[in-house]
Amino acid sequence: MKMRLILICFVCTAFFSIGFAQSYDLGEVTQAELQEKVHPKDTSANAAILFKKGRTYFTLTDGQFNVITEVSVKIKIYKKEAYEKANFSLYYYAPSTGSGEQVDFTKAVTYNLVNGQIEKTKAKSENIFTEQVNKNTKVKKLSMPAVKEGCIIEYKYSILSPFISNIRDWFFQYDVPINYCEYVVDIPEYYKFNNHYRGALILDIAQEKVNRSVTFSVGNRFEYFDNRMTYKVKDVAAMKEESFVNNISNYRSTLIHEHASTMLPQSTYQYYAKTWEDVCRKIYDDEEFGPQMRKTGYFEADLTKLVEGLTTDDEKIAMVFQYVQNRMNWNESYRIFTDKGVRKAYEEKTGNYAEINLMMVGMLRHLGINAHPILLSTRANGIAMYPSFNAYNAVIVGVKRNGGVLFLDATSKYASPDILPLRDLNWYGRMLLDDGTAELVDLMPKMVSLNQENAAIDLAADGSVSGKVRNQMVDYSALRFRDRYRQLSKESQIERLQKNYTGIEVTEFELADNGVSEALVEKYSFESTNSVEVIGGKMFVRPLFHLGLDENPFKQETREYPIDFSFPFREKQMIIVNLPEGYTIETLPENMALGLDKNYGTFSFSITKNENKLVIQTNLEIKTAIMPPDEYESLKEFFKLIVDKVNEKIVLKKV
C-alpha cells in the first residue's frame, strides 16, 4: 500500500542553488510592506512570516561548552484573526537547583503605518513575563504592543543551554505562509549529531568548515573548527488543516538533531546514539518506572477484598480496572515516570499517567495476570519517529492473553477494557517486558464501533414534521460521545441538538447510560416546520430529514496527509415515515449500494413503501481507522455520492 505518510531521510550535504540574494534583517520595514493588504501568493492568509532566521552555535566558557540558539522573526498581520501571532511563548528547563536554561526576548517592535508615516512601538518590560509551569519548567511569554490589522511585528529571542544535546527541533512550515526561512547550525568538531529531516519540502543545503579559536589567557589559545550546516527555503505555503487529520504537526517539515557521540581532547570516546532497545531498557530500569510496579504493600488489603469470590482472569481484570478508574483521578499530566510515586498517588487518589497505570500493572501482576506497561505518544504529542527518551509521553497497560493484547488505561473515566481514550490511538506503542526487551504493539482499533439511529416521523399535510429519534452507540462511538457531551446538562444537550440540526425544536430529551461497558442511548422528540417544501400541491421531502449528511466532509482538491477516522465505524439508520392523508407518492429515490476500493468501506441506501409508510434505511461502514492519502480521490467521490443520494427528494402529490 502506497502510504506517502511522512518523508523521512537523513539530511544530505549536497548544495541545491536556489538563489537567496535578498537581505533579511530586523529593522528594515518599508511602507510597501505595511501597505500590503493580502499575501501575494495566498490571498486567504490572515498573516505571513516574512522571514524566520535562526542560528545554533556552541560557546566555550571555563572549559565547558554551552549551546546557544538565536532566532529572528518578522511577521505581517493582515487580519485581526491573526492577532494571536503577536503572542509567543518559550518553554525551558529551569530547576530550582542545579543548571538550567536561560531565555531572553530582544528587539521586539511593532510597526504601523499612521498618516503615511511608519510608527514604531517597542515592547516594554510588562510585555515580557515569566511563569512557573512546574518545579523544573518555566515559560517566558512575549505579548507584542500596538497590534493592528496591517502591522508588522519583529522580535528576536535567544536560548542558552548547558545541555549540549538539547538542540531544539527547527520547523520550516506553519499554518501561515513563510516567505523565507533559514537555519544555520555550527557544531564543534568534537560532537557528532545525526540529523533527521521529516517532511516533503526541498531545502537548499550547504556544508562548510569554520575555524574557531578561544583565548583563555595570554599565550593560552585553543583552536578547533565547527561543522556548519545551512538550510534555506523560500515561498513555503501554509499548512492547511484538513478533515480527519490526526495531528498535522506529524507532517510538518522539521529538522531534528540527535546527539550521537562526543570525543573531547584528552578524553575517551563517548557514544550516545540510541536504539529503541537502549531507550526502553533505561526507562524500565529508572527508579520512577520499573520499581514502581513492584510495590504492593499499599494496596494488598484492598485488593484482597476486591477480588474475593472472583475465579476468572477476565473478572479480575475488569474489577481491577474499574476500581483504579473509579478511585484515581488523572491530574492531566502526561508522564512516563512517576512524580510522587504510586504509593502516595494511591493515598491521595490522584496521579499522572504513569502513577495510575503502573499502579494497575502492579495490582494485576499481584493477581498472577500477565500485565506489562506500554509506552505511547499521544495524538497531541505526535508520532514517535526516532529513538529518544522524549518520544513517548504516556504509559498504559497491556495484558497478554489468547495470543493478543488487551489494552487498559484508567486515566479516563469513560474508557473500558480494550477501549482506550481517543488521545491514546496514535499508531504504535512499545510494550516493555521484564527481560528488558520491548515489543511493538499496534494501538489502532480493528473492531467496528456501531452507531445506530432509529426514527419514527409523522409528516403532516401542511408540511410540518414531528417525530422521535433513538440513537444507540457502543464502543468507541459511545466513548467519543461521552468525552464530548456526557457532562452537559439536559438543557445544554437540547441546545446542542438544535444547533447541530438547524430548523428543529427538541421537545423532550433523555440520555440512558448504564456504564462505560454498556451501550449509550440518546432519545429525543422534535418538531420542525421547515424540513419540507410544499410547492403547487406537491411535497418535496429529504429522505433522512434533518439526520442526513448535508455536505461532503472532504473538500480539498488534493490530500497530503493520511485520512484518520480514529477507529472503524458503522452508522446505521432506519427511518419510518407516516405519510399524510390526501397525498400519494409520485417519485422515490432509487436504491443504491457503493463500495470503496480495497474494501475500505461500503454504503447502502434503500427505500420501500409499506401501506401509508415509507421505510428508509442507510448503512455506512468505514472498515479501517486510517486510509492513505492516495485513496483520497476515491473517498471524496464516495462521500459525494452519499451526500447526493441522501439529498435526493421524495416527491408526494395530492390525490
Side-chain angles (χ1 to χ4, degrees), residues 110-258:
T110 301
Y111 298 84
N112 284 285
L113 196 60
V114 179
N115 298 325
Q117 300 296 315
I118 297 177
E119 183 178 88
K120 297 169 57 176
T121 306
K122 294 183 178 181
K124 299 180 180 179
S125 58
E126 58 263 31
N127 299 112
I128 303 171
F129 50 97
T130 303
E131 294 179 359
Q132 191 81 36
V133 178
N134 55 47
K135 64 181 182 181
N136 292 320
T137 305
K138 290 183 179 180
V139 57
K140 181 157 285 192
K141 296 183 177 182
L142 169 67
S143 180
M144 296 295 294
V147 176
K148 302 174 184 177
E149 287 185 325
C151 74
I152 288 175
I153 61 175
E154 294 184 337
Y155 57 85
K156 181 178 181 178
Y157 64 85
S158 63
I159 306 170
L160 185 149
S161 175
F163 314 110
I164 61 94
S165 296
N166 192 17
I167 298 180
R168 299 197 177 197
D169 297 350
W170 182 267
F171 302 119
F172 294 94
Q173 287 179 295
Y174 291 89
D175 59 349
V176 296
I178 303 179
N179 292 3
Y180 177 74
C181 188
E182 174 185 302
Y183 185 44
V184 179
V185 187
D186 289 343
I187 298 178
E189 60 181 289
Y190 312 111
Y191 300 109
K192 302 299 181 185
F193 283 79
N194 292 330
N195 301 334
H196 306 289
Y197 177 63
R198 177 178 68 206
L201 289 179
I202 298 176
L203 306 178
D204 180 320
I205 305 170
Q207 182 180 27
E208 60 181 315
K209 290 185 177 181
V210 179
N211 292 324
R212 300 290 186 199
S213 65
V214 178
T215 301
F216 295 106
S217 59
V218 177
N220 188 0
R221 187 179 183 86
F222 178 60
E223 296 184 348
Y224 63 99
F225 67 84
D226 282 343
N227 288 301
R228 171 174 291 179
M229 297 292 295
T230 301
Y231 309 88
K232 300 178 183 179
V233 65
K234 291 178 66 176
D235 298 328
V236 181
M239 295 189 75
K240 302 291 186 180
E241 285 286 350
E242 299 184 11
S243 55
F244 300 101
V245 171
N246 176 336
N247 177 355
I248 199 168
S249 292
N250 288 328
Y251 315 107
R252 186 190 312 273
S253 287
T254 307
L255 181 64
I256 303 165
H257 285 82
E258 177 200 9

Side-chain angles (χ1 to χ4, degrees), residues 404-602:
V405 178
L406 175 73
F407 297 119
L408 305 168
D409 182 355
T411 61
S412 167
K413 298 298 184 184
Y414 300 132
S416 56
D418 237 15
I419 303 295
L420 292 172
L422 294 176
R423 58 179 176 262
D424 292 348
L425 305 182
N426 195 29
W427 294 76
Y428 291 93
R430 275 186 165 78
M431 177 185 289
L432 306 190
L433 305 180
D434 290 339
D435 61 3
T437 62
E439 294 180 358
L440 203 63
V441 292
D442 188 350
L443 298 170
M444 302 307 292
K446 301 298 183 291
M447 62 182 178
V448 176
S449 295
L450 176 65
N451 188 337
Q452 183 162 339
E453 203 165 35
N454 295 331
I457 294 176
D458 294 318
L459 178 57
D462 62 355
S464 61
V465 174
S466 61
K468 296 180 181 294
V469 177
R470 182 181 188 272
N471 187 12
Q472 177 175 299
M473 295 157 276
V474 298
D475 298 332
Y476 279 104
S477 295
L479 173 66
R480 182 167 58 187
F481 184 96
R482 290 183 176 108
D483 277 340
R484 293 176 178 176
Y485 309 123
R486 185 65 182 86
Q487 299 300 320
L488 296 180
S489 65
K490 181 177 179 179
E491 292 73 21
S492 296
Q493 299 280 14
I494 291 174
E495 290 177 7
R496 168 183 62 83
L497 288 169
Q498 292 179 161
K499 182 179 180 180
N500 289 346
Y501 302 121
T502 305
I504 71 167
E505 180 181 351
V506 176
T507 56
E508 297 177 16
F509 179 85
E510 178 186 349
L511 189 64
D513 190 357
N514 295 318
V516 295
S517 296
E518 304 295 329
L520 178 73
V521 179
E522 175 190 56
K523 300 178 184 178
Y524 63 92
S525 300
F526 74 94
E527 295 177 354
S528 174
T529 56
N530 63 354
S531 298
V532 176
E533 293 180 287
V534 181
I535 304 173
K538 293 184 179 182
M539 286 189 185
F540 298 86
V541 185
R542 290 182 66 201
L544 304 182
F545 294 84
H546 66 279
L547 301 174
L549 195 61
D550 288 324
E551 59 183 21
N552 192 339
F554 302 100
K555 298 180 176 62
Q556 286 85 0
E557 290 299 317
T558 60
R559 178 83 177 202
E560 297 182 23
Y561 320 122
I563 302 97
D564 188 330
F565 293 106
S566 298
F567 53 87
F569 64 89
R570 176 183 297 161
E571 295 181 350
K572 297 180 68 175
Q573 293 174 306
M574 185 172 73
I575 300 174
I576 299 175
V577 183
N578 293 311
L579 300 176
E581 291 186 6
Y583 280 83
T584 187
I585 295 172
E586 181 173 281
T587 60
L588 293 176
E590 294 183 358
N591 295 344
M592 183 177 74
L594 300 173
L596 283 167
D597 292 341
K598 302 175 185 175
N599 200 32
Y600 281 132
T602 59

Side-chain angles (χ1 to χ4, degrees), residues 254-289:
T254 307
L255 181 64
I256 303 165
H257 285 82
E258 177 200 9
H259 188 195
S261 63
T262 297
M263 184 60 194
L264 294 171
Q266 300 178 347
S267 298
T268 59
Y269 176 80
Q270 294 178 294
Y271 180 76
Y272 297 104
K274 297 173 286 292
T275 65
W276 282 119
E277 289 72 20
D278 297 331
V279 170
C280 292
R281 185 179 295 276
K282 188 168 183 179
I283 290 172
Y284 194 92
D285 291 340
D286 192 281
E287 181 64 29
E288 301 304 328
F289 193 92

Side-chain angles (χ1 to χ4, degrees), residues 380-416:
N381 195 54
I383 297 172
M385 299 300 302
Y386 309 108
S388 167
F389 297 112
N390 298 319
Y392 296 115
N393 68 327
V395 56
I396 63 171
V397 182
V399 176
K400 283 193 164 190
R401 60 173 198 167
N402 304 325
V405 178
L406 175 73
F407 297 119
L408 305 168
D409 182 355
T411 61
S412 167
K413 298 298 184 184
Y414 300 132
S416 56

Side-chain angles (χ1 to χ4, degrees), residues 335-395:
R335 291 276 286 151
I336 61 172
F337 299 111
T338 62
D339 288 323
K340 56 190 174 186
V342 290
R343 181 187 301 276
K344 189 172 183 180
Y346 185 80
E347 293 170 354
E348 296 180 352
K349 299 183 180 180
T350 183
N352 64 24
Y353 244 95
E355 284 155 351
I356 291 174
N357 286 321
L358 293 180
M359 176 189 303
M360 187 159 51
V361 173
M363 290 181 178
L364 292 171
R365 288 184 172 183
H366 190 68
L367 297 175
I369 294 168
N370 192 14
H372 303 275
I374 296 175
L375 301 174
L376 63 83
S377 175
T378 58
R379 285 175 169 255
N381 195 54
I383 297 172
M385 299 300 302
Y386 309 108
S388 167
F389 297 112
N390 298 319
Y392 296 115
N393 68 327
V395 56

